[in-house]
Structures are given as C-alpha cells and as structure tokens.
Amino acid sequence: MKKLLTAEEMLQALYKCNQCGACASVCPLYRHTTDESMCARGKLALIDAVFSGRLLPGKKYAERLHTCLLCRACSDNCAGGIPTTEIFLFARQMLAESGISPRSGRILLNRFITGPGRFSNLIRAINLYGLLREQRLFKNTGLWRLLPEYRRFSAMRLFSARIGRPLPVAGGLETPGSRGTVAYFTGCALAGFFPDVVRATGRVLSHNGWKAVSLNNGCCGMPHLAYGYVEAARRLARKNIDLFIDQEVIITDCATCGSALKSYASLLAGDSAYAGKAAAFSAKVRDISEFLMETGFLRPRSAPFKKQTPVTYHDPCHLARSQGIRQQPRTVLKAVPGVVLKELEGPETCCGGSGLFALKHPDLSIKVGSDKINTILSTGANIVTSGCPGCIMQIEAALQMENRGNIRVAHPVELLAASYDAGRETSNKLKTD
Amino acid sequence: MITAGSQRALSRELKKILAPRQVLDSMEDRVVYAYDATTLQFLPDVVVKAESTRDVSAVLKMAGSLQIPVVPRGAGTGLSGGSVPNAGGIALVLTSMRSIMEIDLGNMVAVCQPGVITGDLKKAAERRGLFYPPDPSSFNYSTIGGNIAENAGGPQGIKYGVTKDYVMGLEVVLAGGEVVRLGGKQVKNVTGYNLVQLFVGSEGTLGVITEAILRLIPHPPARKTASAAFSLLEQAAQTVTAILNSGIVPSTLELMDQKSINYVEDYLGLGLSRNVQAMLLIEVDGTEEAVAAEMNKIARICREMKAESFKTAADQSEAEQLRRARQAVSPAISRIRPTKIGEDICVPRDAIPAMVREIQKIGERYGLPIVIFGHAGDGNLHPNILTDKRDREEMSRVNRAIQDLFEAAVRLGGTLSGEHGIGLTKKPYLDMDLSPAAISLMGSIKRTLDPLGILNPNKIFGGASD
C-alpha cells in the first residue's frame, strides 16, 4: 500500500484518467477475459460513475471492484501516473462502510481476525489443519484429481501447506545472538502453512549473529485493507505499533506483511496520537532480504545441493511493486553456492494468487497462474523461489495442476539457511532432481 | 437511446440468438463500453460480445429488423470517437474474437480475427522471422480490427506505409447480416472492384470486419537508430525534407519539439538535452551495409543543416532508450494538464516547415500550450493542446485554435486527419477538406451499403457533432 487517499485526492486522480487504455495491455485479468471492467480504465470508469451519481453501488459493482489482483501492474504502467490501486482501495473502503462488501470477507475479518489473541488462534488452527491426516491422505492418494478443474485448483491451494512442526512461542521465533536484537513479526501464512520457512529465517538470523525476539503480534491488517475495512486495519495497526514500540528493527519474511507494516505511516497519518509513532514504526520494518543486504550477511561456502541447480525467482507484487525490493532477494540467491539463477520472462507479472483471490475466483486465478508456470518451465529451473507465502502456495498449486510437482517452490531464505546448514554439516540438504 | 422496457426486450431477443454470457445489459456493463480514448462517453443500450462471424451476422440481422444502431468496437482506444455509441444501440465488442488463425510462411501472410491485439500479431510474425510493420503507438493494446477500420498509421509509415498497405483480404459482415469475403492471399487481384480498400478506414460505418488477411514482409536484418538535436524547430523541419530528398527512405523520422523533450525528461529522465528546440529520431533498416552507408549520409546531412548534435545509438539498449523517448511523449504530456487534445493533421512533406510555423503562431495567438511532435517524415504532425475541459473560457479558445489548425493544414494542401479518423471529433470540419461532390459520393455509397443507417450512425458525416 503506497498512500491512503483522501476523497479530494481520489477525485482529482480519477479525473486525470484520459482513458487511453494502455492499462489493458498489462492487466493479467483483462488479458484472460477481455472484460473491460477488469482493467484499470474500466474500474475507474465504474468508480467515476458511482461518485458522479450515474450508477448506484450494488452487488455487481462490488463484484467487479473486488475482482482485481491488486497487483499494481496498471499503476506502474500508467502514463498519467494515476494511483489506480489506491483509488480501487478507496472505493472498496466506501463499499465496506456502506455494508456492500463480500460477505466472506466481512465475517472473516471482523469476527475472526481482530487482535493478537484471535490471531495466534488462527495460526494454531492453520497448523492443526496442516497436520490432519485426512489432508495428507487426500493429497498423497491423488484423490484430488477426481475433482472438477476449479475445485481441484482450490484444493491444491489449500493442500500446498508443507506439514511441519508448529512453531513454539505464539507461532513466532526466538534465536540467540550478540550482534544486536531484531523483532520478528509473525505472519499467519508462513507461521501457519510454512512454519519451516520461519525456522529458516531464524537460522539465517542467528547464523549472522542476530538475537531475534517474537512478540505476540496481531494480524498485519492487509486483508482488512484489501477488503476496505480501513478502521479495523487501523485498530490492528495501533496494537502492533504499541507492541513493537521499544524495538529498533522489525523483520518480516512475508512480502505482504512487510507491505502492510510499511503502510502504517500513511494509514495513521491523520491520527494525531499515532501519526508520529506510526511513521517511526514503518521506518523500522525490513523484509528479511532487505535486512540482510543492509546489514551484511555471511556468504555461505557450502552448497546445499549435490550439483549446480538452476533456480528462478518470482517477484511478489508486494515486494517488488509495493516495496521496491527487487535486487536484494536475487543477491541472496546468487550468494548460495550451487545456485544458477535464471531470470523469468516477466518476473514481476502477478502469479494470480493475491491472497484470498485464488479462493474466491479459482477460475481466473488458475489461468493467470498457468501463464506464470509457462515462464517458469521455460527457464528449466528445478526450484522456484519467492518471498511471499501467497505466491509460494499459488505457484505450488499451479505446478501440481500441470503435473510438474517435481519442481520445488521455496522461500529464498530456505536456500540460504540450507547452505549455512550444509556448512555446519547437518543433514538438512535440500533434495533436487 | 431506447426506453428501459425496450432495452429489456432487446436484451431478451438477443439472448435467444446468443449465449446469455454474451449479452451484457446491466448498467455496470454498459458504463465500461461507453467510451474510447477521447473521453467522450455515451451509454449503449446493450453490449454484445461476439464470439464468431455467425454471431455478428445474427446480431446485425436482428438490429436491422428492429432498426437499432450497431457500433462495432475493438479495444475502444481510438482517438476520434469512432467506437463510442453516441446513438445508443448495441455496442458490438469484438475483443473475444482474438485468434491468430494462421501465419502462412510460404505466402508471408497472416490470417487473424479482428480482436487480435496488433502487438501480439507483430510478436507472432517476428517469432517466424517476419514483420508486420504498421505500429500505431497503441499497438500493445489496440486491435487489428480497429486498426483496419481506422487505417491506423505509426512511425514506420514513412518507409513501410500504413495499415491499408497490408490488408490483402477481408471477411466483412454487411448491414443486413450478409457475410462477404473479399480479396485473398494472392499478391495481385483485379477481379471485380477493389472493395477491400473501401472497407479499410471506413470506421465501422460500411460493414463489420470479422477476419483479415494481412501481408507480412521479411524482417529487416539490421537497424540503426540516431538522434539529431537542433536549436531551431524550423531547422529540424527543413532537415526532414533534406533527408527525404537525398534519396534515403528512413524507417522512422520523428520530430519532437522542446516542450515534448522537456516533458519526456521530467517523466523518464533519459538524459535528453533540455535546451534544444527540436529533436529528430531517425532510423534506417535493411542490410548491414546499406544501413551503415545511409546513416553516414544522414549524419552528414544533419551536420550540413547545422544540427547541434548527432548521436548514433551504440547498441540495442541505447536504441531502445531513444525509441522510448519518442513513445513516451504522449504519456509524458498527459500528466501535465487534465485534458490533452491531440490533433493529427497531415500535410505534403514539403509543407512541413510551413505547418510547424503555423502551429507555433496558433499557440501564441490563443495563448495555449501546444506541444508539437509526430511523424514529420510523412508530414503527419500531432499538435497536442494541453488544456482543462472544465475551463469553458479556455475551451472556446481551444476550439478556435483547432479550427485554425485545420484551416492552415488544408491551405497548405494537407488534410484533417492522417491516421486517427474523423469519427465524432472531426465531423464539424469535414467540409473544409472534402468537396460537396466528394461528400455526396461517399453518402451514396453509405446509403447503398447501409440503407437503414444502423452501422455506427452519426459518424464521419453530418456536420456539427453531438
């Protein structure tokens, strides 16, 4: 999230759209549907129609507004520099405040993810789900192949959790270290679905001398923002800000959490009590790859693989476009001996995951995901990496759909951690083909 | 527009001949197919997404029997209002018909549906060592069908011609629903009238294009790019003429004035020199030897014409930078003021310096910022007026400026539109350029092909616009 717009700013920005239509050339959803209401121009036209009174906001309007990856390809490519994504979010906020929002979002976000206590329960619930034997059976026997295509895809998304031991302290991590202390922000998706990634982050931090602490944090608020529940997001933000007030650095290994946390400054800019604290908070947030580059990290000398392995990297929208973090994860990957980094064609093109989008619109999600898989296959890589659990789940599921489950999907820290481990001669070697 | 009751009835009737998913009648659907890139907006009564020639034919038959207007539409990115449904009716969207049916290597021909994005066709041809030259600046998002209906141009027009030069055959659905195939893959064809060319540039008023057979050429093996800077806009304009008279046919010869250079620098920071009054982007293509010789000759000419600087791109990425600069003019200037009105006049080549002077005078006369850039090599300039359509007083000056621009162009032997089309925006000025006899002849052709007047009515002809 870049900057929350005021109504005045939004109307001015809306007016700037001269409807050239260039956004259609970069919108993944438009490319797959040729539905004008998918591209930014169409969405802005709908929003303009509502705000000028020509259209009453109803279910159809809400549906179109919410069928969007929020990937920012449009705003990045807009000649007029229009903050399209911010305008969409503003419109979603208006919808949420008038009660016209997708019901699933309302229930999930206003009832279940409201504070740290409920949040850690959510993570536990995801962990337990991951451990369900039924889930493992379903996946391993291949029964899922009997489902119709879209259902299969949704199933694969949910089953892409890597079953690992749940993390101890409120889902977070704690490591010893003498170089300094960093606070780790626990995100639901990694701690819930991929606890081993969190452990990898922990090993990387500790190997580089950092003492990591976990505080019992609440949800970063991104889903709330995406659904337009800005006040709920602000409540979560204040709680998180107060919790981390004494910390100097806040580390996250989730692109989405990082993007949300960095947007707290803008989210609370109008709050006289919290504006300063929010700005200070956001300034302390670092993605793990960003942190490693800024503070320097030990270059590993052992390869985690038996031979040279082609590895590719997918830029999460929330890391590349939202935070401008592109080089850092690549540098981390290139530092791992044995990694031959291959660039994807269109590495920043959205994978189609987009948080809850894949569950709500599996048909569109699968099409966008399939394009990403084609670019991955073209590189001949054995491992795809990405710094966002949403992307990891999406790519894994999409690979399974095309029977390419042999290609591993990992977070860049996992390769670095495995490399450190190999150096320490532990048995954590990653398997490759 | 028809009444709400009639809209519902129309929608019901259409769902009898098409799948329900193809008939979009909610307000939300209609709003997004009401505009094009001119920001003119008129709601259609219903939107139909055609998926086949049969769909188009069935819709036209029904529309004819009900006397409802049909406005064919590609990506809706036109610059003259051609695809805007100003008389309501059915917005017939062709973007779902987007298959490149064939790239015939033996005959060097592409066969494709109207909804294919021009950029996709270009890429498909290039993958096979072939070249589809027409490159309107919107080619990454505009459609072949739309390009054909408007006879779109582009920077490479100076050497390679425009869309009409590549259309060898068409499948067209006429106003009564009849499907006609014209032309074909043959290189030469004088069997019957040359009706293919009648439909090219007809802006959806004579028939709906449902298939195109397009000529491809071998991809040139080499290309060189250069830029020349001048301390006087007039010098740059004269250099254009000098290059063309030297016997070289560059593949690109584009002009950018000082304002456009500065706005592009503000937008992209490519390192262009801000102080020069004009810049030419010059490209030549062909064999390595020819390209090297021609570029040397061009460099000499520019020096003789007192260019302040002349730079040849050392490699692909530098060439890309220069091309980006030119492509970025339109986007760069759209950030400056809320409304950008781009004109498209085309004068004979030897009148380019005079036309440039006229444009500057008009800007001064009305106190309006006018940015000048365009395809100087074919006399097709894009004077862009940066304004705010909410300012009534300024808009009245803008309208007078546009009138003067057209008058000047015609006086210098030129025409109102080189590539954008007449559509809605240039209707009021048609008689400045076409004689009454010409307009009458065009009208009789229109009446013959569309007796009920349902195909994109109120476009091109009729004088003062809505």
Side-chain angles (χ1 to χ4, degrees):
Chain A
M1 268 222 42
K2 298 241 170 100
K3 181 186 178 300
L4 225 51
L5 298 172
T6 62
E8 180 61 38
E9 284 168 339
M10 197 226 55
L11 288 171
Q12 287 289 22
L14 203 54
Y15 191 74
K16 283 197 73 181
C17 176
N18 58 35
Q19 299 177 308
C20 72
C23 47
S25 68
V26 295
C27 174
L29 296 184
Y30 179 84
R31 294 288 287 185
H32 281 284
T33 60
T34 68
D35 176 350
E36 176 74 19
S37 68
M38 290 297 103
C39 72
R41 183 177 69 158
K43 289 195 161 63
L44 293 181
L46 284 167
I47 295 169
D48 185 60
V50 165
F51 278 83
S52 62
R54 285 177 286 132
L55 175 68
L56 285 173
K59 257 189 73 189
K60 285 199 172 135
Y61 168 70
E63 206 182 279
R64 279 154 180 75
L65 212 45
H66 279 273
T67 308
C68 172
L69 296 167
L70 293 179
C71 73
R72 295 179 181 279
C74 47
S75 55
D76 265 17
N77 282 280
C78 174
I82 298 166
T84 54
T85 312
E86 274 62 45
I87 298 173
F88 304 156
L89 290 168
F90 184 95
R92 288 186 185 190
Q93 183 187 350
M94 295 294 105
L95 273 178
E97 286 172 10
S98 30
I100 314 166
S101 239
R103 192 166 40 102
S104 49
R106 237 183 299 147
I107 295 171
L108 177 69
L109 300 173
N110 288 335
R111 296 283 208 63
F112 288 106
I113 312 179
T114 51
R118 293 224 175 143
F119 186 59
S120 52
N121 288 343
L122 172 70
I123 295 178
R124 277 282 165 271
I126 299 173
N127 289 152
L128 282 173
Y129 159 81
L131 290 170
L132 280 175
R133 246 181 297 148
E134 282 69 24
Q135 197 233 129
R136 254 183 287 194
L137 257 177
F138 194 84
K139 192 172 174 183
N140 293 342
T141 58
L143 273 174
W144 59 280
R145 288 179 207 279
L146 294 174
L147 293 169
E149 195 190 12
Y150 304 153
R151 295 276 172 261
R152 235 187 296 155
F153 181 65
S154 299
M156 271 327 297
R157 290 257 345 183
L158 294 171
F159 296 161
S160 59
R162 266 186 262 136
I163 296 133
R165 273 173 15 255
L167 297 155
V169 186
L173 63 85
E174 306 254 315
T175 66
S178 52
R179 195 170 161 192
T181 304
V182 300
Y184 176 77
F185 185 90
T186 307
C188 63
L190 284 176
F193 290 104
F194 304 105
D196 284 343
V197 173
V198 178
R199 289 196 176 84
T201 301
R203 294 204 299 286
V204 164
L205 286 170
S206 120
H207 190 89
N208 284 287
W210 299 102
K211 176 176 156 62
V213 297
S214 283
L215 311 175
N216 191 3
N217 61 260
C219 175
C220 65
M222 183 60 91
H224 304 73
L225 285 168
Y227 274 80
Y229 296 106
V230 176
E231 277 317 309
R234 287 189 172 123
R235 280 196 295 274
L236 290 167
R238 288 187 200 103
K239 289 194 185 129
N240 282 328
I241 288 169
D242 286 338
L243 188 63
F244 286 86
I245 200 97
D246 296 323
Q247 301 302 323
E248 282 174 16
V249 185
I250 302 164
I251 306 288
T252 173
D253 40 14
C254 172
T256 298
C257 291
S259 177
L261 298 177
K262 287 183 182 177
S263 76
Y264 282 2
S266 156
L267 189 58
L268 291 167
D271 180 330
S272 52
Y274 273 85
K277 290 195 274 187
F281 175 92
S282 289
K284 296 190 289 204
V285 174
R286 295 290 182 278
D287 176 74
I288 181 68
S289 66
E290 192 185 13
F291 180 72
L292 291 173
M293 287 302 295
E294 266 176 33
T295 57
F297 63 101
L298 293 169
R299 294 302 198 262
R301 275 169 302 173
S302 302
F305 324 113
K306 294 199 190 88
K307 48 189 169 128
Q308 295 285 85
T309 300
V311 172
T312 189
Y313 175 75
H314 159 73
D315 287 280
C317 300
H318 278 142
L319 211 52
R321 294 192 178 124
S322 292
Q323 299 181 60
I325 294 175
R326 295 174 170 92
Q327 276 319 304
Q328 298 91 321
R330 287 171 166 86
T331 308
V332 166
L333 287 167
K334 280 191 273 203
V336 175
V339 163
V340 179
L341 188 62
K342 303 271 188 202
E343 276 298 319
L344 285 173
E345 193 191 315
E348 293 184 28
T349 305
C350 184
C351 64
S354 183
L356 294 168
F357 183 90
L359 295 172
K360 299 218 75 216
H361 304 276
D363 49 339
L364 286 173
S365 179
I366 201 181
K367 286 185 176 133
V368 179
S370 176
D371 282 352
K372 178 58 64 171
I373 298 311
N374 287 340
T375 63
I376 290 171
L377 296 177
S378 299
T379 63
N382 292 342
I383 303 181
V384 190
T385 56
S386 192
C388 170
C391 299
I392 292 174
M393 287 172 83
Q394 171 74 356
I395 295 173
E396 245 180 58
L399 281 168
Q400 288 283 356
M401 291 298 288
E402 307 208 13
N403 291 314
R404 296 307 305 261
N406 57 309
I407 296 176
R408 292 213 39 185
V409 190
H411 190 296
V413 284
E414 291 187 276
L415 269 70
L416 185 59
S419 202
Y420 287 151
D421 295 341
R424 275 185 264 119
E425 285 169 347
T426 66
S427 58
N428 270 355
K429 282 213 186 262
L430 282 174
K431 295 190 206 86
T432 60
D433 291 342
Chain B
M1 281 226 294
I2 56 184
T3 64
S6 308
Q7 272 169 6
R8 283 192 292 274
L10 174 60
S11 180
R12 265 198 314 270
E13 289 305 307
L14 285 165
K15 286 180 184 168
K16 289 181 188 164
I17 58 170
L18 300 164
R21 64 165 187 269
Q22 294 175 265
V23 182
L24 310 174
D25 49 20
S26 71
M27 190 59 164
E28 288 82 0
D29 291 312
R30 292 159 60 205
V31 161
V32 298
Y33 291 103
Y35 50 74
D36 69 359
T38 58
T39 74
L40 292 169
Q41 304 197 35
F42 295 92
L43 284 174
D45 292 305
V46 70
V47 177
V48 166
K49 293 208 81 188
E51 291 175 7
S52 66
T53 303
R54 182 214 80 90
D55 288 349
V56 174
S57 174
V59 168
L60 283 170
K61 278 200 193 90
M62 175 177 288
S65 69
L66 297 171
Q67 295 208 262
I68 303 254
V70 174
V71 182
R73 179 187 184 87
T77 57
L79 291 164
S80 52
S83 60
V84 171
N86 64 320
I90 299 170
L92 181 61
V93 184
L94 295 153
T95 51
S96 296
M97 291 174 65
R98 52 181 180 157
S99 162
I100 297 176
M101 289 140 76
E102 196 189 345
I103 305 259
D104 179 341
L105 292 175
N107 286 307
M108 288 207 267
V109 147
V111 183
C112 62
Q113 290 188 312
V116 168
I117 292 173
T118 303
D120 289 348
L121 175 64
K122 278 167 152 316
K123 280 190 216 131
E126 196 172 334
R127 275 198 290 272
R128 292 166 178 82
L130 295 173
F131 185 29
Y132 175 74
D135 58 344
S137 296
S138 61
F139 70 76
N140 281 321
Y141 41 97
S142 60
T143 61
I144 281 289
N147 285 179
I148 294 173
E150 298 284 351
N151 190 12
Q156 307 226 281
I158 178 180
K159 177 169 182 180
Y160 290 107
V162 296
T163 302
K164 74 163 161 47
D165 301 307
Y166 293 84
V167 183
M168 295 170 75
L170 290 175
E171 178 187 82
V172 184
V173 183
L174 303 176
E178 308 91 348
V179 179
V180 182
R181 291 198 71 93
L182 303 162
K185 288 185 180 181
Q186 325 83 20
V187 168
K188 296 155 94 173
N189 183 337
V190 290
T191 309
Y193 296 141
N194 183 1
L195 292 184
V196 170
Q197 291 302 324
L198 174 65
F199 287 98
V200 179
S202 61
E203 306 193 32
T205 61
L206 298 180
V208 180
I209 296 159
T210 49
E211 193 182 295
I213 301 175
L214 300 165
R215 180 166 75 99
L216 302 174
I217 58 178
H219 207 290
R223 176 163 62 164
K224 253 187 160 35
T225 311
S227 71
F230 297 84
S231 54
L232 282 177
L233 188 50
E234 171 124 5
Q235 264 174 349
Q238 281 165 356
T239 306
V240 168
T241 321
I243 292 174
L244 296 171
N245 288 341
S246 74
I248 300 175
V249 185
S251 58
T252 295
L253 186 50
E254 298 284 299
L255 171 71
M256 287 164 64
D257 73 347
Q258 198 212 22
K259 287 198 189 67
S260 38
I261 295 168
N262 274 282
Y263 289 138
V264 168
E265 260 313 280
D266 291 340
Y267 176 42
L268 287 179
L270 294 170
L272 304 170
S273 174
R274 287 179 181 271
N275 299 322
V276 297
Q277 288 295 313
M279 200 175 107
L280 289 181
L281 173 72
I282 309 163
E283 288 193 312
V284 286
D285 67 11
T287 62
E288 293 272 6
E289 301 83 9
V291 156
E294 287 180 352
M295 198 45 101
N296 284 337
K297 196 168 176 187
I298 290 173
R300 191 172 41 79
I301 294 169
C302 288
R303 273 194 296 274
E304 281 166 13
M305 299 296 293
K306 307 276 195 291
E308 292 223 340
S309 72
F310 183 89
K311 270 182 266 207
T312 321
D315 57 27
Q316 262 287 63
S317 84
E318 264 181 50
E320 235 347 275
Q321 284 276 66
L322 290 173
R323 266 176 246 134
R324 270 191 83 197
R326 166 59 185 91
Q327 275 161 16
V329 176
S330 200
I333 66 181
S334 67
R335 295 169 170 240
I336 309 303
R337 296 193 70 197
T339 312
K340 170 174 79 93
I341 298 182
E343 288 305 335
D344 171 45
I345 45 91
C346 193
V347 295
R349 294 204 263 233
D350 59 7
I352 296 166
M355 188 67 219
V356 165
R357 276 195 301 272
E358 290 288 335
I359 298 171
Q360 286 174 308
K361 273 195 284 189
I362 291 167
E364 280 159 35
R365 187 180 308 150
Y366 294 100
L368 294 166
I370 304 186
V371 181
I372 308 172
F373 64 97
H375 322 295
D378 25 57
N380 184 201
L381 294 172
H382 293 307
N384 269 244
I385 306 174
L386 307 182
T387 180
D388 185 337
K389 68 180 175 200
R390 296 172 293 193
D391 183 338
R392 296 239 174 130
E393 187 281 318
E394 189 165 320
M395 284 309 290
S396 78
R397 276 185 282 139
V398 167
N399 287 327
R400 277 179 287 154
I402 291 174
Q403 177 103 10
D404 284 11
L405 273 172
F406 290 151
E407 246 163 32
V410 171
R411 195 179 355 108
L412 291 171
T415 187
L416 311 180
S417 176
E419 47 187 19
H420 294 174
I422 300 299
L424 279 174
T425 56
K426 295 187 240 298
K427 271 176 62 176
Y429 311 101
L430 201 62
D431 57 3
M432 288 170 74
D433 192 342
L434 292 179
S435 68
I439 293 178
S440 172
L441 176 59
M442 292 182 188
S444 64
I445 292 171
K446 165 71 172 170
R447 278 189 301 278
T448 305
L449 285 168
D450 181 18
L452 296 173
I454 61 164
L455 279 175
N456 212 4
N458 299 346
K459 302 288 171 70
I460 310 178
F461 308 100
S465 56
D466 304 319

